[in-house]
Amino acid sequence: MPGGDAREAAKTVTGSFEDFPFLPELPARGPGADMIGRTAGMLVELYARVEPSGWRIGDRPGRDTKRARSWLREDLDALEEFTQDYEGDLKVQAVGPWTLAAALELRNGESALSDPGACRDLAASLAEGLRLHLAEVHRRIPGARLVLQLDEPSLTAVLRGQVRTASGYRTHRAMDRQIVESALRDTIAAHHGGPVVVHSCAPDVPFALLRRAGAAGVSFDFSLLTERDDDTIGEAVEAGTRLFAGVVPGTDGPLSDPAGSVMGVRTLWRRLGLQPGLLARAVTLTPACGLAGASPAFARQALAHCVRAARSLADNPE
């Protein structure tokens, strides 16, 4: 979300989504509030600090780790205030193990992705950190059914060997798909059987791999789908995977009418030969990616538009 006021963001998301509020991220506050720094602050027995080149793993918790944890507490305090006696779904999110490995640097300045042992340690630390984070949210909002979202925008690049080295002249080798799937499965298991959604706003989201790893839902930018994704999407829906379809732009611009926003979803459903009545149970409508780059006014409009578009889809699935 845009801005830096935790209470205002919590008030907005709880007011916009009465049935599915979420814990906002406010990266405009600076390092530690960004998605990488926020998740780095959740790690157990691993710490990160800000360097000119980005976030780097260090030996001990420094001011950057303390700042990230302080902002997370502030966000949790605000959300708790506006969810008193709430019962229902509530989403929290963190960066997934592979985007984190691609973003965090080792002491030599190279990405953690360059070291298989570092990747394993990072995934294990993240899983434990997520267990503690989810337990804290549940303690604060005991009536909530927590939905964990793992942000993995770099996942496709990791699988394809497209993540650049520190020099920028080479790329790290493509990660073995079984290793990628295994680390994701272990991270997803940190939610102890609760629903986990994996989000990527990059092209060619690996739907089948995420489904095998145990993701209950996949979140994606709907505009980046191509017809070659049809088979894997159809298989995912038939297997019970929920689709979080990003149909609303994440930055300021004109919004179409709600029916127009879901026209592509209806077209996809007809192309796949799926039952129209399944739409409302299988699809959640979202912004295409985060709203941090939007104005506060547009962010509120985008969230409200998602609700109206979802009602349009449910009322008229065909």
Side-chain angles (χ1 to χ4, degrees):
M1 292 289 286
D5 188 327
R7 289 189 76 257
E8 184 62 31
K11 182 180 178 182
T12 296
V13 302
T14 53
S16 299
F17 292 141
E18 295 178 359
D19 299 321
F20 196 24
F22 58 92
L23 176 65
E25 292 180 356
L26 301 172
R29 292 179 297 195
D34 60 298
M35 58 187 283
I36 299 298
R38 184 184 186 97
T39 301
M42 296 180 190
L43 296 176
V44 173
E45 296 183 0
L46 282 179
Y47 311 102
R49 64 178 185 272
V50 178
E51 298 286 344
S53 54
W55 283 91
R56 181 172 295 181
I57 295 173
D59 297 322
R60 59 184 66 86
R63 63 180 182 182
D64 297 319
T65 296
K66 292 174 183 175
R67 183 168 53 226
R69 292 175 177 175
S70 173
W71 272 328
L72 180 57
R73 283 194 301 271
E74 181 181 313
D75 294 339
L76 285 168
D77 288 345
L79 186 66
E80 182 180 5
E81 178 184 346
F82 288 98
T83 51
Q84 293 295 310
D85 302 318
Y86 174 74
E87 294 183 355
D89 291 333
L90 184 146
K91 183 172 73 71
V92 298
Q93 62 208 52
V95 175
W98 294 107
T99 295
L100 199 61
L104 288 181
E105 299 174 355
L106 301 174
R107 291 177 182 81
N108 62 6
E110 283 295 351
S111 161
L113 204 59
S114 64
D115 184 335
C119 290
R120 286 192 297 271
D121 291 346
L122 196 55
S125 174
L126 174 62
E128 184 58 29
L130 287 173
R131 288 187 192 98
L132 296 173
H133 176 54
L134 290 163
E136 173 67 7
V137 179
H138 186 263
R139 183 187 67 78
R140 289 169 174 262
I141 313 169
R145 174 178 178 260
L146 298 183
V147 178
L148 172 62
Q149 176 176 307
L150 296 176
D151 289 322
E152 283 283 16
S154 299
L155 181 58
T156 300
V158 167
L159 289 167
R160 292 183 172 181
Q162 295 173 336
V163 177
R164 294 202 167 274
T165 59
S167 69
Y169 295 117
R170 296 185 300 108
T171 57
H172 294 286
R173 63 180 179 82
M175 291 298 297
D176 182 278
R177 296 180 77 88
Q178 289 186 330
I179 293 174
V180 170
E181 183 181 324
S182 176
L184 282 167
R185 185 180 297 110
D186 291 345
T187 308
I188 287 170
H191 196 9
H192 297 302
V196 177
V197 178
V198 179
H199 167 74
S200 174
C201 48
D204 299 319
V205 176
F207 288 91
L209 183 151
L210 295 175
R211 182 164 54 87
R212 290 194 304 271
V218 180
S219 173
F220 55 95
D221 182 342
F222 191 84
S223 69
L224 298 179
L225 288 185
T226 66
E227 290 195 17
R228 69 172 180 266
D229 295 309
D230 282 6
D231 288 344
T232 53
I233 290 177
E235 290 169 3
V237 172
E238 289 174 349
T241 303
R242 192 168 186 89
L243 305 181
F244 284 64
V247 298
V248 177
T251 53
D252 291 46
L255 293 171
S256 67
D257 65 284
S261 294
V262 296
M263 189 181 304
V265 178
R266 291 194 183 99
T267 300
L268 170 66
W269 228 246
R270 286 194 295 268
R271 199 165 69 230
L272 295 177
L274 296 168
Q275 293 295 322
L278 185 62
L279 260 173
R281 298 196 304 274
V283 176
T284 297
L285 300 180
T286 73
C289 204
L291 292 166
S295 66
F298 181 83
R300 289 191 293 271
Q301 291 172 15
L303 296 179
H305 191 83
C306 286
V307 175
R308 290 193 296 269
R311 287 183 183 139
S312 171
L313 194 63
D315 293 342
N316 184 17
E318 299 187 72

